Amino acid sequence: QKEVEQNSGPLSVPEGAIASLNCTYSDRGSQSFFWYRQYSGKSPELIMFIYSNGDKEDGRFTAQLNKASQYVSLLIRDSQPSDSATYLCAVNAGGTSYGKLTFGQGTILTVHP
Amino acid sequence: SAVISQKPSRDICQRGTSLTIQCQVDSQVTMMFWYRQQPGQSLTLIATANQGSEATYESGFVIDKFPISRPNLTFSTLTVSNMSPEDSSIYLCSATSGGALEQFFGPGTRLTVL
């Protein structure tokens, strides 16, 4: 059974700190990995995706992928109170499952001033 | 990225009735999907809406309960049939464009069944 697991948190960090969000997945054949941000009462907003081992940076966000360990993470540098939200990790298996996303339960992040 | 709209944004329905949710994208997209987000939970894929053919349903979801249409490359509907309170959820439409990996979501439809 394909599973995506995240620590539900809540994760609390002070403003300006680095927030580290982690995700593991069970399907070793998974090909692409996504991080979404969801504010309360809103729909998920794509932050970034990654499909190659290593790091991918976009502004204050860095996604890290380690396929051997079946682990993907999201780092948020210089965290701001506006980053307070639920962060969802999603995985796509590719192949005949192209486009289909399996989501983790989400990690609640609180950035306090 | 494609802009996705959904109608209605929310509704309160009586047990045993049906509701059809519309999803409109502002440009032609390759794939469209329907997800459900139950209260306090994450997203679960219901089905892939296939243009001009029957939708592909995930395990635990059936066509009789969630009929889906996709008559063209920019529009899809999801019907929640014979509703019960357990169907109270947020229903989200999403889309990908071309060969892109990015998948974007509509604003969702918040359904409450009494």
Side-chain angles (χ1 to χ4, degrees):
Chain A
Q1 182 178 356
K2 299 171 186 172
E3 288 185 356
V4 178
E5 296 188 8
Q6 299 179 252
N7 186 328
S8 62
L11 173 65
S12 181
V13 300
E15 184 174 356
I18 296 175
S20 177
L21 304 161
N22 305 315
C23 173
T24 59
Y25 58 95
S26 61
D27 182 359
R28 186 170 288 278
S30 297
Q31 296 189 0
S32 50
F33 309 85
F34 302 80
W35 283 101
Y36 286 85
R37 176 174 62 196
Q38 187 173 30
Y39 293 111
S40 181
K42 301 294 185 181
S43 65
E45 170 192 7
L46 181 64
I47 299 173
M48 63 192 308
F49 70 93
I50 187 169
Y51 55 85
S52 298
N53 277 327
D55 296 359
K56 179 180 180 182
E57 186 174 318
D58 184 358
R60 296 188 294 115
F61 301 95
T62 298
Q64 299 176 316
L65 174 62
N66 184 327
K67 289 187 176 181
S69 300
Q70 295 176 238
Y71 174 91
V72 58
S73 66
L74 180 71
L75 301 178
I76 306 174
R77 290 183 299 280
D78 187 24
S79 295
Q80 300 298 309
S82 59
D83 294 326
S84 298
T86 298
Y87 288 80
L88 299 168
C89 172
V91 175
N92 175 234
T96 57
S97 295
Y98 182 80
K100 300 179 182 181
L101 298 181
T102 301
F103 282 83
Q105 286 299 104
T107 298
I108 298 171
L109 172 66
T110 301
V111 181
H112 53 87
Chain B
S1 63
V3 176
I4 304 173
S5 59
Q6 288 184 233
K7 288 194 296 186
S9 59
R10 59 178 63 225
D11 207 341
I12 300 173
C13 300
Q14 295 298 317
R15 180 195 301 260
T17 63
S18 298
L19 176 71
T20 295
I21 302 167
Q22 298 180 4
C23 177
Q24 178 73 56
V25 189
D26 69 343
S27 59
Q28 293 184 351
V29 292
T30 307
M31 305 186 78
M32 296 181 74
F33 304 91
W34 287 97
Y35 290 82
R36 180 175 73 181
Q37 188 170 28
Q38 295 178 299
Q41 303 296 314
S42 190
L43 282 77
T44 300
L45 179 64
I46 298 172
T48 304
N50 299 309
Q51 193 259 327
S53 64
E54 191 171 286
T56 305
Y57 290 85
E58 299 301 304
S59 177
F61 298 96
V62 295
I63 187 171
D64 289 347
K65 177 66 175 178
F66 298 102
I68 289 170
S69 77
R70 188 181 173 192
N72 56 52
L73 291 174
T74 64
F75 184 78
S76 178
T77 65
L78 167 74
T79 299
V80 186
S81 303
N82 188 25
M83 289 184 285
S84 67
E86 292 71 33
D87 294 320
S88 297
S89 292
I90 299 172
Y91 292 86
L92 294 136
C93 170
S94 71
T96 63
S97 185
L101 294 174
E102 298 98 317
Q103 186 167 142
F104 300 96
F105 285 84
T109 296
R110 184 179 296 271
L111 171 62
T112 302
V113 183
L114 302 178

